[in-house]
């Protein structure tokens, strides 16, 4: 059993689905390099990815065993994972950091002339040095994009994955419920951020990869800045947006708070954000598209003007904080049962004043259900 | 003033050094895509990088202003940073996620035919989709490796950077000192990990990007696995290795603890690790090489047999948990004043038993000084 509690049979099923999609796409195998893609197929879960020094590789051939080609330092952990073979080299190696071993293994595993799909589309990157990539390409195989195979696989979550995300959401819910005890007028935003992360851990997060937020009079300027040392002031709107991890799976939602009673403008804005979230959730069912959700929310938010600079009103989540699809006009992805999404409406009041709300949902045959505990219509109030 | 307290003049000096190195390497500019590289030149500090969805770009031309080509969502924060121009697009865009804007900007900024250096060597990666990269390459400029310019720049730290790393090390030191209050026989390793992260935050970390460690009878099997729910047992050796961040800069060191009194084998192993660290530090001075440090430590650890599967005995650190150089035989990098390094000796006792120790140092004209508070010779003991 892997550390994220996914059963061996589920990994086998993921490999089977991958093979079927690969055959349809005319691929003989996949080459994967990123934490989430490798974890998806093997359960390999480690914070060691924080070190950019060493490349790691997983080959998923359309026939035969999955092969990890990895630094020796990761062999003990990889042996506990869902993988058929492990080949290691002593990394780092400044002259040949796994490249020739990977070339040989690709030929053994996929065969000379084989078509090797490498995730290359939107939201992907190749986690290896460009110089090594150009060396690798001298291998006698046909590297090409993965035709969206990995995106397609990961976008629909299994029952086990949904329950893991639900459990992570519950951790964040408990932490958010305790914010009034850690954030009052006069508290520095940087300290509120520290304390919120401590609450997340105390409530059961394994780690806190993401916390953003802001505070400002009648709204905030920005949703990605780190905390400043400025104190909370009466009249501030405080937003905390967190991506906690438990057993490898993320939540991603936020809560807004008013320091002291909110103005009627802010109270109303919050109600509009909640209404937009509900409008989005109401049409989240198999057959509708990601764009449909955007338009349903945008109608409530802007009367249909087309959204704000944030660029979208939500996205997928799972092994990553943000995953496909994107809730925006140009994303025609059809919703399917098992998709886990964030609904993330935003409102802009002025050049430096905005508000964002976010919830997490899962799509089922009979519509969408909240995984986060839907916020109330009324903005939460913190002590002054 | 940026959020990591680096002064505007220092950013200007970094750009000047970059231009001088570019000229020497025959480059007309740099194209940067990763959090650490972009932060190094601008002070742009955000946890939003956790989302893999959007690419971000920085162009540092050999003449003229630095230009950020970024998603609109980051414009407010980038305006507070050390950058000459900002161009934005509304990301995500499934058809053209900044690629054509970046092409146009490269031509405006560096000029058609210009030689654009992209970090491509060891420990780098390109943070954008491969598909977009191949589109981008149709621009009439000459993309090539950066000839190690960025590595060279970042490897030597300024006084301000050294003081920031020293402050982060002090946070971890205070957290490690409190481990006896959060880890006793019977405590689950996963809870010890959670509590340690809370201590790090309470002592002043902005966030905790990295915590690894392990516990095992007479040593541990592995240094990269996440925590299990197994309880600590008398006779276990517990190791906690953390990379905290404060104001954008990492520490990276560990501490070992014995649950109850250690066996003489383990007590002796710990003394050997400390002696190896000291042997490494003793020869850390300008003019010696990264390989020299390895050999000095390896003489103490293995009698000169050549090290273990971890692959090296330490590395650089700063904006990233691990940076150049690597303390290993094939890294001939000459040590210079201002380098910040980890010294990380390891000993292997058996197939599933090892110990690792780690300290952080800075190299000055008159030798190396500890930034972490050097551990004592005797292993720390936790209550049973």
């Amino acid at each position: 059993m892997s550390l994220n509690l996914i059963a061996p049979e589920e990994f086998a099923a993921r490999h089977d689905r991958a093979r079927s999609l690969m055959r349809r796409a005319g691929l003989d195998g996949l080459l994967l390099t990123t934490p989430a893609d490798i974890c998806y197929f093997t359960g390999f879960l480690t914070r060691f990815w924080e070190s950019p020094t060493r490349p790691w590789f997983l080959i998923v051939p359309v026939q035969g065993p999955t092969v990890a080609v990895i630094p020796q330092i990761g062999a003990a952990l990889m042996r506990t994972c869902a993988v058929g073979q492990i080949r290691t080299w002593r990394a780092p190696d400044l002259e040949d950091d796994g490249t020739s071993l990977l070339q040989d293994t690709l030929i053994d595993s996929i065969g000379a002339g084989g078509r090797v799909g490498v995730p290359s589309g939107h939201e992907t990157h190749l986690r290896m040095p460009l110089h090594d990539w150009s060396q690798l390409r001298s291998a006698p195989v046909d590297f090409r994009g993965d035709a969206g195979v990995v995106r397609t696989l990961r976008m629909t979550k299994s029952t086990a994955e949904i329950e893991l995300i639900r459990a992570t959401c519950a951790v964040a819910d408990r932490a958010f419920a305790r914010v009034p005890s850690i954030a009052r007028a006069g508290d520095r935003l940087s300290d509120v951020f520290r304390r919120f992360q401590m609450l997340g851990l105390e409530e059961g997060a394994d780690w806190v990869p993401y916390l953003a937020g802001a505070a400002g009079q009648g709204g905030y300027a920005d949703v990605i800045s780190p905390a400043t040392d400025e104190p909370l002031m009466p009249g501030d709107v405080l937003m905390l947006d967190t991506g906690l991890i438990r057993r490898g799976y993320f939540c991603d939602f936020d809560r807004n708070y008013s320091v002291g009673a909110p103005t009627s403008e802010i109270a109303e804005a919050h109600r509009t954000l909640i209404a937009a979230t509900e409008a989005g959730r109401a049409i989240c069912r198999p057959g509708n598209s990601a764009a449909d959700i955007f338009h349903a929310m945008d109608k409530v938010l802007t009367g249909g003007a087309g959204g704000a600079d944030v660029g979208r009103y939500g996205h997928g989540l799972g092994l990553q904080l943000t995953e496909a699809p994107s809730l925006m006009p140009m994303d025609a992805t059809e919703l399917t049962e098992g998709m886990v999404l964030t609904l993330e409406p935003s409102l802009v009041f002025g050049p430096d004043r905005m508000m964002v709300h976010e919830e997490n949902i899962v799509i089922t045959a009979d519509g969408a259900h909240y995984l986060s505990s839907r916020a109330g219509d009324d903005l939460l109030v913190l002590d002054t």
Side-chain angles (χ1 to χ4, degrees), chain A residues 25 27 117-118 144-150 152:
Chain A
L27 293 173
V118 181
R144 48 174 73 189
D146 78 334
V149 164
V150 176
T152 300

Side-chain angles (χ1 to χ4, degrees), chain A residues 172-173 176 196 211-213 220 223 238-243 251-257 270 273-274 343-345 355-360 372-373 375 380:
Chain A
D173 267 321
F176 279 125
F196 182 82
L211 178 64
Y220 27 83
V223 293
L238 166 68
M239 185 276 289
L240 295 172
D241 180 0
T242 198
C251 66
D252 178 19
F253 62 100
D254 78 0
R255 289 296 178 257
N256 287 276
Y257 305 84
H270 189 260
L273 291 169
I274 301 294
L343 298 174
E344 189 172 13
M355 280 180 73
V356 180
H357 179 67
E358 192 170 20
E359 302 278 3
N360 298 163
S372 49
S373 73
L380 298 159

Side-chain angles (χ1 to χ4, degrees), chain A residues 256 263-281 293-304 313 343-349 354-359 370 374-379:
Chain A
N256 287 276
T263 62
S264 59
E265 180 197 30
I266 293 301
E268 187 53 39
H270 189 260
R271 278 191 288 269
T272 302
L273 291 169
I274 301 294
T277 309
E278 271 296 312
R281 191 191 62 84
I293 310 179
F294 176 90
H295 291 302
M297 294 169 78
D298 197 47
K299 198 169 165 194
V300 177
L301 293 164
T302 72
Y313 289 148
L343 298 174
E344 189 172 13
S346 52
L347 274 177
V348 177
F349 313 129
M354 68 180 302
M355 280 180 73
V356 180
H357 179 67
E358 192 170 20
E359 302 278 3
Y370 285 103
R374 175 191 179 286
D377 294 345
D378 292 334
L379 198 56

Side-chain angles (χ1 to χ4, degrees), chain A residues 171-172 175 195-206 208 244:
Chain A
V171 171
R195 293 175 197 149
F196 182 82
Q197 295 176 88
M198 292 168 69
L199 290 182
L201 292 160
E202 198 172 309
E203 293 294 350
D206 294 329
V208 186
L244 306 175

